[in-house]
Amino acid sequence: MPLKPLLIGACLALLHAPAQAQTTTDATQMGERAFEGAQWILATKASRAVAQMGARAAKGDGPLALLIRERQQTEADLTKARSLYAVQFSNADAKITRARLQEVEDALAELDVEIREQFPNYAEFSNPKPLSYQELREQLAPNEGLLLFLSAPFATYVWAVSNQGQSWHRADVSAAQLGDRIRYLRRDLDPTALVRAAVPLPAPSTPAKSAFDFPKAHALFSDLITPVLPVLDKVDHLYVVKDGALSGLPLAVLLTDTPSDKVTFSNAPWLVRRFALTTLPGVSSLPSIRAAAAMTADAPELSGFVGFGNPDFDGASTQSGPASRAMGAFFDGHGTLTDAVRSLAPLPGTARELRDVSGLFPPELASVFTGPKATETNVKTAPLETAKIISFATHGLITGDLTGLAEPALAFTPPQIGSEQDDGLLTASEAAELQLNADWVILSACNTAAGDGTPGAEGLSGLARAFLFAGARSILVSHWPVRDDVTATLTKETLARLQHDPDLGKSQALRLSMLDLISQPDPSGLAHPSAWAPFVVVGDGN
């Protein structure tokens, strides 16, 4: 029997096993097999975004496209051979058919090896291999750990791995219950929670509302993470793989201790005080990240900055206008997709954000495209392969936000008449075609990290996956729209810390910048997690 069904079967068997069986040796061994099976399950959930990238890549004429097309044909041949073998299983022709089946299976395996060797990024996203506990520990530094979450209809499962060992835990929290709890917390975090709209968020003239349920934030930490915490005792940098509703909540907002009666936003025991956090698309992404870092260590130093932002949109600029409604509401399908993009709300604050960040670089090494120059065409034709840091400060849209939008996209200044080259939307599959070597891609836009806590939501948007696929080592994404002043401050301070101390690491630099905001007096509103918590590093946190 193939390995994948066995691993998934072991995972499902553990999920249904009685809780008291966890203490047995057999259960420990099954826990490791379930850990690998869970990786297969999570990889399957992301298959649609991967299929879109692969289908688009296959349309090209480069060596990867040729291999993908050959693999697609071989896979089709394998399906036919299996069907024929099933029909002929009991007759005299079965032996010949079985030999043909084995031949095609071997050819497919050889193609997978070739793709994995020549194009590790594509292989990682199209056919990731699960890691055992030992294989994962070999990838982790002494101060690093990994948390893997898998939500099921009847419980939520958590695995923790570090150099100190591994542990797993089954929390009696169903996927539906987890979704309810996360949506409850997000009510006080997402300023556009009820509308999920692309809106600009200027600094408020009055203090931000102070609502946040500290006890519930601690209860979620207690239910999910406390039981595996001993394995993470010497860890200060956590890689996190999440699925379902949990992917809609940054773990930074959880509380590691029971909040006292005198708890405030500035003194709360946020999880971000204990750990720097890095999100991974999957457990198996870590070896690819390490390999990419090793490959680029001897490469020519990248030094440039390229930024795109403040596109020309003519929609309402406040939340009381059309942009405050659900995205589909202001575009009813009577116009073109380009018309819908043009109707988005302007983002004037992003121009300042890009200017502030570009000021960290010598003028000759910084390029900023704003207004009429912030176009999809310029994104596709700019020399992005030489840029160390790339920033997209614009609206991030998810599937369904606009009628006719079938995949996540970034919005840019639209042309008068849209074309395949430029319709004002850089979709995930188009982003996957970019040639990048960037150390960091900053997606300073809403809806670029995950869903809103709805069960079954995609854990990591196709946009984030696409930029990793295109060659970015790390991505900075956000879970919800963020105040313009906060975005500018947080991105600039994080990058400045890295320039001052490159060994600090991206996730630690972001963590320290968040702690600076948390330390601000409550009346500023900056200590509220809605301001500092939405940003997460995806990919290489070092």
Side-chain angles (χ1 to χ4, degrees):
M1 186 181 234
L3 179 61
K4 183 173 179 179
L6 280 174
L7 292 174
I8 293 178
C11 183
L12 296 177
L14 175 63
L15 301 188
H16 286 88
Q20 59 268 26
Q22 296 178 13
T23 59
T24 68
T25 302
D26 287 345
T28 301
Q29 295 174 346
M30 186 175 286
E32 179 162 11
R33 297 188 70 185
F35 175 70
E36 298 177 38
Q39 295 173 57
W40 280 120
I41 292 173
L42 297 182
T44 300
K45 289 186 176 184
S47 60
R48 187 173 67 170
V50 172
Q52 290 173 334
M53 295 179 196
R56 191 172 186 91
K59 295 179 181 179
D61 56 5
L64 175 58
L66 295 175
L67 279 175
I68 293 174
R69 287 199 291 270
E70 184 178 356
R71 191 189 187 285
Q72 289 173 340
Q73 183 58 55
T74 304
E75 201 164 25
D77 293 343
L78 182 60
T79 299
K80 293 178 183 178
R82 284 172 173 167
S83 299
L84 184 59
Y85 181 66
V87 172
Q88 298 178 344
F89 183 75
S90 60
N91 63 35
D93 294 328
K95 185 175 181 179
I96 298 175
T97 306
R98 181 68 188 93
R100 170 58 181 162
L101 179 60
Q102 186 63 54
E103 179 184 332
V104 179
E105 287 178 342
D106 291 344
L108 188 63
E110 290 175 3
L111 280 171
D112 284 339
V113 169
E114 186 174 0
I115 291 174
R116 187 167 292 277
E117 289 177 348
Q118 295 188 32
F119 305 98
N121 279 358
Y122 178 78
E124 164 59 33
F125 287 98
S126 63
N127 190 25
K129 303 298 184 186
L131 300 184
S132 67
Y133 286 150
Q134 181 58 36
E135 288 171 328
L136 177 56
R137 279 197 296 270
E138 291 172 355
Q139 297 291 329
L140 294 170
N143 69 315
E144 294 178 333
L146 181 140
L147 283 176
L148 170 66
F149 297 87
L150 178 66
S151 56
F154 42 85
T156 299
Y157 295 82
V158 185
W159 287 265
V161 182
S162 72
N163 283 332
Q164 296 174 259
Q166 66 280 327
S167 179
W168 67 273
H169 165 63
R170 184 173 75 183
D172 292 328
V173 182
S174 68
Q177 292 170 333
L178 187 61
D180 290 342
R181 293 171 70 171
I182 288 170
R183 281 192 297 277
Y184 181 87
L185 289 175
R186 277 187 60 115
R187 278 189 328 181
D188 301 321
L189 296 173
D190 187 347
T192 61
L194 298 179
V195 298
R196 202 188 69 195
V199 295
L201 294 177
S205 56
T206 56
K209 66 177 183 177
S210 59
F212 187 75
D213 198 317
F214 291 110
K216 287 189 182 297
H218 173 64
L220 194 58
F221 174 85
S222 180
D223 289 343
L224 299 183
I225 301 177
T226 296
V228 299
L229 204 55
V231 172
L232 306 174
D233 183 54
K234 297 181 180 180
V235 169
D236 61 17
H237 181 191
L238 265 181
Y239 284 96
V240 181
V241 180
K242 300 182 288 185
D243 86 314
L246 192 60
S247 63
L249 185 77
L251 295 187
V253 303
L254 300 183
L255 268 62
T256 57
D257 293 306
T258 303
S260 68
D261 293 338
K262 297 181 180 180
V263 67
T264 67
F265 295 120
S266 295
N267 67 19
W270 304 111
L271 184 140
V272 73
R273 295 188 188 277
R274 169 102 184 249
F275 299 108
L277 300 164
T278 303
T279 298
L280 290 177
V283 177
S284 60
S285 301
L286 196 56
S288 296
I289 289 170
R290 301 296 197 221
M295 289 174 62
T296 57
D298 298 327
E301 180 69 22
L302 299 174
S303 56
F305 170 78
V306 180
F308 300 85
N310 191 27
D312 280 346
F313 301 137
D314 59 15
S317 60
T318 68
Q319 294 192 48
S320 61
S324 67
R325 302 196 297 271
M327 298 294 276
F330 79 81
F331 178 60
D332 57 12
H334 294 305
T336 66
L337 199 58
T338 305
D339 295 330
V341 176
R342 190 173 293 108
S343 298
L344 290 170
L347 296 168
T350 60
R352 172 206 160 191
E353 175 187 338
L354 293 178
R355 285 196 303 269
D356 286 350
V357 174
S358 65
L360 298 173
F361 296 80
E364 67 274 13
L365 297 179
S367 299
V368 174
F369 299 82
T370 58
K373 294 182 179 180
T375 64
E376 182 185 1
T377 294
N378 281 340
V379 172
K380 291 179 176 178
T381 57
L384 300 182
E385 66 276 3
T386 62
K388 182 176 183 178
I389 298 175
I390 304 170
S391 179
F392 297 97
T394 182
H395 291 305
L397 309 176
I398 63 175
T399 305
D401 272 349
L402 300 178
T403 300
L405 181 60
E407 56 180 315
L410 294 176
F412 296 94
T413 299
Q416 289 302 312
I417 300 177
S419 64
E420 183 175 354
Q421 168 69 12
D422 190 340
D423 59 3
L425 292 171
L426 183 75
T427 62
S429 58
E430 289 175 316
E433 289 187 320
L434 298 175
Q435 300 298 312
L436 307 180
N437 294 303
D439 195 42
W440 210 349
V441 170
I442 300 172
L443 300 183
S444 180
C446 61
N447 295 327
T448 53
D452 60 359
T454 302
E458 174 66 35
L460 183 64
S461 82
L463 277 173
R465 290 179 177 274
F467 281 102
L468 289 174
F469 177 90
R473 286 182 55 192
S474 305
I475 310 168
L476 185 67
V477 293
S478 58
H479 279 276
W480 53 77
V482 189
R483 281 169 41 179
D484 292 344
D485 60 332
V486 172
T487 304
T489 298
L490 203 59
T491 52
K492 180 182 178 181
E493 291 304 314
T494 299
L495 293 173
R497 289 179 187 276
L498 282 174
Q499 281 198 345
H500 178 71
D501 182 7
D503 294 331
L504 181 62
K506 305 178 188 68
S507 295
Q508 286 289 0
L510 177 63
R511 170 181 170 270
L512 293 175
S513 298
M514 287 179 171
L515 292 178
D516 278 349
L517 292 182
I518 293 171
S519 68
Q520 300 299 313
D522 276 356
S524 70
L526 296 176
H528 192 285
S530 64
W532 56 262
F535 286 107
V536 294
V537 176
V538 180
D540 182 6
N542 292 321

